[in-house]
Amino acid sequence: MKRTIATSALAMLALGAAPDRAPWPDTPVARLEALAELQTLNADLLSHDSATLTLDRWCARHHLADGARIVADRVRGQDKPPPAAVREQLHVGTDQPIAYRRVRLRCGDHVLSEADNWYVPSRLTPDMNRTLETSDTAFGRVVQPLRFQRHTVSARLLWSPLPENWDSGGAPLPRANPGAALPIPDKVIEHQALLTRGDGEPFSYVVETYTGAVLDFPPAFGRSRTP
């Protein structure tokens, strides 16, 4: 029994996965499922105003951590001036202050996204600005009282487990690679969005990069099979 457990752990490590979760196998079925999961997350993000709350639900649905609540880790010392296009989207001139915040949103030990956020402090309340400046609270939670709306500027999958035109016969499904883990890259989805207050005034522009950790759970096909 001990030898079996040790052998399984070594095999999982050889596949590049943590021993406490099953890796995604490199098979056509697993690739199809991974693509379906990414498209589901993408659609969920596009249909809700708060990325933080969407990731809360994703974290809980896939049991990524106890508590299943997104925590924002501030990344300091990497401030980026707003591009001209961001100022244009926010309807502010070059003389109006814009604040910058970079965070990593994680569920337990799983960093699910990294976000660059430029926002207009004068369009938030003093309490909101104070919280954003002095804490790691996720932006979406802080500004939730504004009843904000999210307007997608761009959304794209940065990685597909399947080749382009696979569904129309343009390319065959990849062959199974027995014993190997599906290579999931660090970045899988990117969104850019403008946030507006209830009165329609824009106050934040975000660039969100979702990581391969959004798939840090065993594939459902594997869970449904009996040994």
Side-chain angles (χ1 to χ4, degrees):
M1 179 66 176
K2 291 182 178 178
R3 180 177 297 177
T4 300
I5 294 174
T7 301
S8 298
L10 288 172
M12 293 175 72
L13 286 171
L15 290 174
D20 60 346
R21 62 181 173 87
W24 285 70
D26 191 357
T27 66
V29 171
R31 285 178 177 269
L32 282 166
E33 185 179 336
L35 180 59
E37 292 286 3
L38 290 179
Q39 290 177 333
T40 297
L41 175 59
N42 194 45
D44 206 8
L45 289 164
L46 290 171
S47 59
H48 293 87
D49 291 318
S50 173
T52 301
L53 299 183
T54 298
L55 289 180
D56 274 344
R57 293 189 295 272
W58 187 262
C59 184
R61 184 186 312 154
H62 295 293
H63 311 287
L64 294 180
D66 294 335
R69 182 179 173 86
I70 294 298
V71 175
D73 293 329
R74 292 284 299 277
V75 179
R76 301 180 186 273
Q78 298 183 17
D79 288 6
K80 299 178 183 178
V86 169
R87 283 192 175 273
E88 184 178 350
Q89 288 278 357
L90 292 172
H91 299 168
V92 297
T94 56
D95 58 341
Q96 187 168 355
I98 293 181
Y100 173 77
R101 206 170 188 251
R102 180 172 175 81
V103 297
R104 295 188 178 100
L105 298 183
R106 62 178 172 84
C107 174
D109 295 330
H110 308 273
V111 177
L112 303 185
S113 78
E114 298 183 353
D116 293 310
N117 182 358
W118 292 274
Y119 63 94
V120 185
S122 63
R123 296 173 184 171
L124 307 181
T125 68
D127 285 344
M128 290 176 185
N129 282 310
R130 190 177 306 110
T131 301
L132 290 171
E133 292 167 3
T134 61
S135 78
D136 284 358
T137 306
F139 190 83
R141 296 194 207 284
V142 176
V143 301
Q144 201 168 2
L146 295 178
R147 296 180 173 272
F148 65 89
Q149 291 186 321
R150 179 185 178 97
H151 307 273
T152 301
V153 176
S154 67
R156 59 192 181 115
L157 291 183
L158 301 178
W159 171 69
S160 174
L162 296 174
E164 189 175 359
N165 299 325
W166 67 272
D167 56 339
S168 60
L173 290 176
R175 294 180 178 273
N177 191 359
L182 179 63
I184 300 173
D186 293 336
K187 301 175 181 180
V188 294
I189 300 173
E190 182 193 87
H191 281 192
Q192 296 192 30
L194 182 71
L195 307 185
T196 60
R197 302 186 313 194
D199 61 4
E201 187 167 37
F203 67 91
S204 170
Y205 190 93
V206 294
V207 178
E208 302 158 342
T209 304
Y210 296 88
T211 75
V214 299
L215 295 176
D216 277 359
F217 53 86
F221 179 78
R223 293 197 303 269
S224 66
R225 292 177 64 89
T226 56

